[in-house]
Amino acid sequence: MIGRTLSHYRILEQIGAGGMGVVYRARDERLDRHVALKLLPSGVLSDEAARRRFRTEALALSRLNHPNIETVHDFDTEEGIDFLVMEYIPGTTLSEIVARGPLEHAEILRVGAQLALGLAAAHEQGVVHRDLKPGNLRLTPDQRLKILDFGLARLVRPFSDTLPTQSLTGIDTVVGTLPYMAPEQVRGAPADARSDLYAAGAVLYELATGRRPFPQTHGPLVIDAILHQEPESPTRLNPKLSSGLEAVILKALSKDPEARHASARELLEDLERLGDGVPRSAPGRRPRRWGRLALALGGLGLLVLLALGIDLMVVSGGTIDSLAVLPFASAGTDQDAESLSDGLTESIINSVSRLPEVKVIALSSVLRYKGRLVEPDKVGRDLRVRAVLEGRVAHRGDDLVVNAELVDARDRRHLWGEQYNRRFSDIFLVQDEIATHISESLRLNLSGEETQRLTKHYTDNAEAYQRYLKGRYYLNNEYDEAGVRRGIDQFMKAIELDPRYALAFAGLADAYYGLSNLYLPSTQAMPLSRAAALKALAIDDGLAEGHASIGVVKAFYEWDWPGADQEFRRAVGLDPGDALFHLWYGFSALALGRSDQGLADLKRAQDLDPLSPFIRCYSALP
């Protein structure tokens, strides 16, 4: 074909080839410019009707006019050869670049942001790429990313069933390239924008680590990995990578489309927030006043500030004394994964809420953000907190991977972040370490007793703990009789595994209270609740949940308000950050005539759980 002229395009050299045709650099003799000609495989357009449909859709692609997308100029046919005329883009594909090894952190962010910009522009016009991969992404000499072959996988596929394809036992397919295909594509579902986001995550993973998320080369093994395995931690493969960027990549690679970024715009926002490589920092934000002074004075200036005892965190906006722990994202989509992620979130909330110097928002309020990508500053405004903890958990077999990151909600400043790669049996240690790091990052001066409260857990049996989490998951998410009874069954199994598991008995007490009146006469349900709560306290008299459960029985079944008041006061003393305990204690104070204290506790309950309709209703506050 070299030297041949098609229409008014003179072919100069071959520059690429793939499942959707051969690409040549050509010269447009009319407009005196270089273009790329993609010659479609023979037989793709079997008749004139197919050719007209292709032309219509190809010209629709030409409306994608964006700096990060290769432009389609025209479609034509000559001497039986069908070809697309596209923008000629000199440069290097990402597949060539990544063959040299992982990119630097800042370069990944820069390339990834351009990729997200191009995807957003196309998706907003209803166009999906369907075959995104490093070979379809090119960096121009001035370092602009261009997405090639946008939408062509869809154009080629519908017009001929006779086009030779490679089965999924090989790597490349006409409708996508297997290592970059989302699980739903592998299962045969139509590709959509979320499939492109998965592929973008696979590309970012490769840029960050130098290898694909699933490096298997045999087709069936690749398919199995895409459907059933989690990719190896990017920071394990590249320790220079930030935990923030790893979290973005793994979110895009979620097997559940709903768990990925809601749009390419959200992916872009996540990447932009990483800024200069510091997780969650705002792009282009100037250093604060003291930071600029230290930079101006150099290392000596920093030493002077430290010598003067200036706490940079306090200077930048005051002590951080309030926290929202957002629901941990789950790498899985089943109920076990959901109960683990919700349970880990609740456990961290319960641990930190025992500390007297920090306000921690209750689980029922933060659950509103589950599965949503939300800015820390918005969470801060909604919940009136200064810090936000975000995280992700993946559990497969006995492997546990937990990522956690603490962010200042006012300026998105990264306070602390860590990734834990442990055995599932070490989950208690992971929770303890996260809670301890939070207290250190918030500059809390803890006594020995407070430190013990922070890291206290109630069983060493990981399976019993998992059963307990499932029980709480049913109580928090399923509000019918079947859900409550499923919760009871899980608490019972936890107790069978560890008969000294006080917290499981407290969960059982809550579940029986949930059955009372609605699904079981109170004369049957409440004695069962009382017995479970008494058993919890017999094991551990310092269990706040046990005292609160006994208080509920005394208040709402035995009508013993003085007795209930003592139990609620003990619960609040043991766990001053629990919204429900303050609600019950406020009730008992009002019932016993302590109006000021009662109203104060009801107000405190609402402060700790501001989005809970239950708290708002029963606290009778505006």
Side-chain angles (χ1 to χ4, degrees):
M1 296 293 293
I2 306 300
R4 184 172 178 178
T5 299
L6 293 176
S7 182
H8 52 279
Y9 304 103
R10 180 163 56 87
I11 297 176
L12 303 176
E13 63 174 331
Q14 181 175 328
I15 57 176
M20 289 179 287
V22 181
V23 184
Y24 296 92
R25 180 170 65 91
R27 185 173 190 81
D28 183 338
E29 302 289 357
R30 290 180 182 170
L31 298 179
D32 191 23
R33 63 177 178 178
H34 285 143
V35 295
L37 294 189
K38 180 179 284 289
L39 275 58
L40 303 182
S42 176
V44 170
L45 305 182
S46 55
D47 55 38
E48 192 56 37
R51 194 165 284 109
R52 283 196 301 270
R53 291 196 300 271
F54 187 93
R55 177 188 294 275
T56 299
E57 298 207 36
L59 293 180
L61 290 181
S62 70
R63 292 195 292 269
L64 290 179
N65 185 13
H66 190 273
N68 296 116
I69 297 176
E70 178 187 45
T71 302
V72 175
H73 294 311
D74 198 3
F75 167 68
D76 207 346
T77 301
E78 186 165 299
E79 299 178 11
I81 299 174
D82 300 305
F83 59 94
L84 279 162
V85 183
M86 299 180 297
E87 175 186 9
Y88 171 67
I89 302 171
T92 309
T93 64
L94 290 191
S95 58
E96 296 171 280
I97 293 172
V98 81
R100 307 168 195 158
L103 274 63
E104 293 295 325
H105 193 281
E107 183 70 1
I108 298 168
L109 293 176
R110 191 183 66 79
V111 171
Q114 293 187 71
L115 173 57
L117 272 170
L119 289 176
H123 292 169
E124 286 163 9
Q125 292 195 41
V127 181
V128 178
H129 193 290
R130 291 176 171 79
D131 191 20
L132 202 63
K133 57 187 175 184
N136 279 336
L137 300 168
R138 178 166 290 168
L139 279 181
T140 65
D142 64 354
Q143 298 302 294
R144 182 184 297 278
L145 182 79
K146 287 281 192 175
I147 307 175
L148 313 181
D149 287 353
F150 221 116
L152 296 189
R154 176 176 178 272
L155 291 188
V156 171
R157 178 70 175 176
F159 297 105
S160 177
D161 293 329
T162 63
L163 181 65
T165 64
Q166 188 174 355
S167 74
L168 287 179
T169 57
I171 291 296
D172 293 318
T173 71
V174 170
V175 292
T177 304
L178 184 54
Y180 306 94
M181 291 172 67
E184 62 270 19
Q185 284 180 280
V186 173
R187 294 189 180 99
D192 60 16
R194 297 170 301 180
S195 308
D196 276 356
L197 293 177
Y198 178 94
V203 170
L204 291 173
Y205 185 100
E206 194 164 349
L207 297 181
T209 66
R211 51 165 265 190
R212 294 166 172 168
F214 304 108
Q216 297 87 342
T217 57
H218 186 48
L221 296 181
V222 179
I223 293 171
D224 179 70
I226 291 172
L227 294 178
H228 304 117
Q229 298 178 26
E230 295 299 327
E232 188 171 357
S233 162
T235 54
R236 183 182 297 174
L237 297 172
N238 180 4
K240 295 180 180 179
L241 203 66
S242 74
S243 60
L245 181 52
E246 176 179 73
V248 172
I249 293 171
L250 294 179
K251 181 180 180 69
L253 286 172
S254 297
K255 297 194 185 300
D256 179 6
E258 297 297 331
R260 297 171 203 152
H261 300 87
S263 68
R265 292 283 177 196
E266 289 195 358
L267 172 60
L268 174 64
E269 291 168 2
D270 260 11
L271 293 170
E272 287 182 335
R273 279 199 301 273
L274 295 175
D276 60 358
V278 179
R280 306 295 294 184
S281 62
R285 185 177 297 278
R286 294 182 177 180
R288 288 188 171 275
R289 178 166 54 91
W290 287 108
R292 290 201 299 275
L293 177 58
L295 289 173
L297 295 176
L300 176 62
L302 182 58
L303 290 175
V304 170
L305 293 179
L306 294 176
L308 291 173
I310 296 174
D311 184 327
L312 296 181
M313 177 178 288
V314 174
V315 168
S316 68
T319 302
I320 295 178
D321 58 0
S322 51
L323 171 70
V325 181
L326 296 187
F328 274 53
S330 171
T333 58
D334 59 11
Q335 205 167 69
D336 287 351
E338 289 290 304
S339 64
L340 175 61
S341 59
D342 285 4
L344 184 60
T345 306
E346 185 172 17
S347 295
I348 294 171
I349 290 172
N350 290 342
S351 293
V352 184
S353 71
R354 298 187 186 113
L355 304 178
E357 298 179 21
V358 59
K359 178 179 81 172
V360 186
I361 299 300
L363 180 68
S364 56
S365 279
V366 296
L367 279 177
R368 179 167 301 191
Y369 301 100
K370 184 175 179 179
R372 294 169 52 194
L373 182 63
V374 60
E375 304 288 356
D377 49 352
K378 176 173 171 38
V379 176
R381 291 192 301 270
D382 290 349
L383 302 179
R384 298 179 182 177
V385 294
R386 272 292 309 272
V388 174
L389 182 77
E390 299 175 294
R392 180 182 179 84
V393 58
H395 174 216
R396 183 174 180 82
D398 197 34
D399 292 329
L400 178 71
V401 180
V402 178
N403 288 278
E405 188 169 27
L406 187 66
V407 183
D408 190 317
R410 296 208 320 183
D411 57 12
R412 304 177 183 174
R413 183 164 45 93
H414 173 75
L415 302 177
W416 165 81
E418 188 65 73
Q419 174 175 298
Y420 303 88
N421 297 279
R422 304 288 177 81
R423 298 173 66 85
F424 184 76
S425 55
D426 294 329
I427 188 170
F428 310 111
L429 297 177
V430 173
Q431 291 176 186
D432 293 350
E433 289 181 34
I434 292 174
T436 300
H437 282 304
I438 290 172
S439 70
E440 292 171 350
S441 299
L442 301 187
R443 305 293 198 268
L444 301 180
N445 297 315
L446 305 183
S447 66
E449 181 184 351
E450 288 168 344
T451 300
Q452 288 182 350
R453 285 189 196 178
L454 184 70
T455 59
K456 182 174 182 178
H457 43 87
Y458 298 89
T459 183
D460 293 320
N461 187 312
E463 185 179 352
Y465 176 70
Q466 197 165 18
R467 293 290 186 179
Y468 171 78
L469 293 185
K470 289 181 181 179
R472 283 293 178 191
Y473 177 83
Y474 287 127
L475 292 192
N476 291 335
N477 293 276
E478 298 186 14
Y479 306 107
D480 57 4
E481 181 180 6
V484 177
R485 291 196 180 276
R486 277 192 285 267
I488 289 173
D489 181 61
Q490 293 299 321
F491 293 135
M492 289 290 198
K493 288 177 179 175
I495 291 166
E496 289 175 11
L497 291 164
D498 182 356
R500 301 285 300 170
Y501 196 175
L503 203 56
F505 280 104
L508 199 58
D510 290 345
Y512 283 130
Y513 175 60
L515 287 178
S516 178
N517 287 324
L518 287 175
Y519 309 113
L520 198 67
S522 59
T523 53
Q524 297 179 35
M526 295 302 278
L528 292 173
S529 179
R530 177 175 51 203
L534 289 173
K535 180 63 176 178
L537 293 178
I539 297 169
D540 183 356
D541 187 58
L543 182 66
E545 290 85 345
H547 287 286
S549 294
I550 287 292
V552 167
V553 173
K554 288 182 177 292
F556 303 113
Y557 179 63
E558 298 174 353
W559 304 107
D560 176 9
W561 282 103
D565 189 66
Q566 291 181 3
E567 297 296 338
F568 293 142
R569 181 169 63 250
R570 182 76 189 279
V572 168
L574 291 167
D575 190 350
D578 191 289
L580 200 57
F581 298 169
H582 281 284
L583 181 72
W584 296 145
Y585 191 32
F587 275 6
S588 68
L590 291 174
L592 296 173
R594 302 195 309 272
S595 300
D596 289 346
Q597 183 242 306
L599 291 174
D601 272 283
L602 295 183
K603 179 65 167 63
R604 181 61 174 166
Q606 192 178 37
D607 288 343
L608 292 168
D609 202 352
L611 304 184
S612 168
F614 177 82
I615 295 287
R616 291 186 67 87
C617 174
Y618 284 92
S619 64
L621 291 173

